[in-house]
């Protein structure tokens, strides 16, 4: 289960927040399955990248637009 975010809302969440890339974005399945939110310093951002990224088993990616992220809601017991 995931929560759709408003434009730019992803920046309100801390590093380590569970996120996934929306289904309508073409990417590797691991990014759709989810990972953790990470950030990079503005000075470290390369052309075509964003300050916000996702870390999955395959590695880290900063190529997704901030509006391409969804929060993963964990089921409460």
């Amino acid at each position: 289960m995931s929560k759709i975010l408003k434009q730019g809302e992803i920046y309100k969440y801390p590093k380590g927040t569970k996120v996934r890339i929306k289904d309508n974005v073409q990417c590797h399945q691991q990014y759709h399955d989810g990972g953790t939110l990470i950030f990079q310093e503005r000075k470290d951002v390369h052309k075509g990248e964003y300050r916000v990224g996702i870390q999955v088993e395959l590695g880290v990616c900063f190529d997704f637009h901030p509006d391409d992220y969804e929060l993963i809601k964990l089921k409460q017991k």
Side-chain angles (χ1 to χ4, degrees):
M1 200 159 116
S2 60
K3 177 188 180 222
I4 305 292
L5 301 174
K6 295 178 184 169
Q7 186 175 7
E9 190 177 8
I10 192 69
Y11 290 105
K12 295 180 182 178
Y13 294 92
K15 175 182 175 182
T17 300
K18 298 290 185 189
V19 294
R20 66 183 298 276
I21 301 302
K22 294 177 181 177
D23 290 331
N24 66 339
V25 177
Q26 189 173 353
C27 62
H28 191 280
Q29 184 60 44
Q30 277 199 335
Y31 296 113
H32 292 303
D33 294 342
T36 56
L37 189 64
I38 57 171
F39 296 95
Q40 61 179 338
E41 295 293 326
R42 192 173 304 278
K43 65 180 177 59
D44 297 327
V45 177
H46 294 113
K47 187 175 182 173
E49 290 185 341
Y50 297 92
R51 287 192 58 227
V52 63
I54 184 172
Q55 183 170 8
V56 296
E57 191 175 318
L58 289 177
V60 173
C61 185
F62 292 99
D63 297 342
F64 299 109
H65 188 277
D67 296 340
D68 291 339
Y69 291 83
E70 295 177 332
L71 292 183
I72 295 175
K73 288 185 172 182
L74 301 176
K75 294 181 182 177
Q76 294 184 359
K77 297 179 181 180

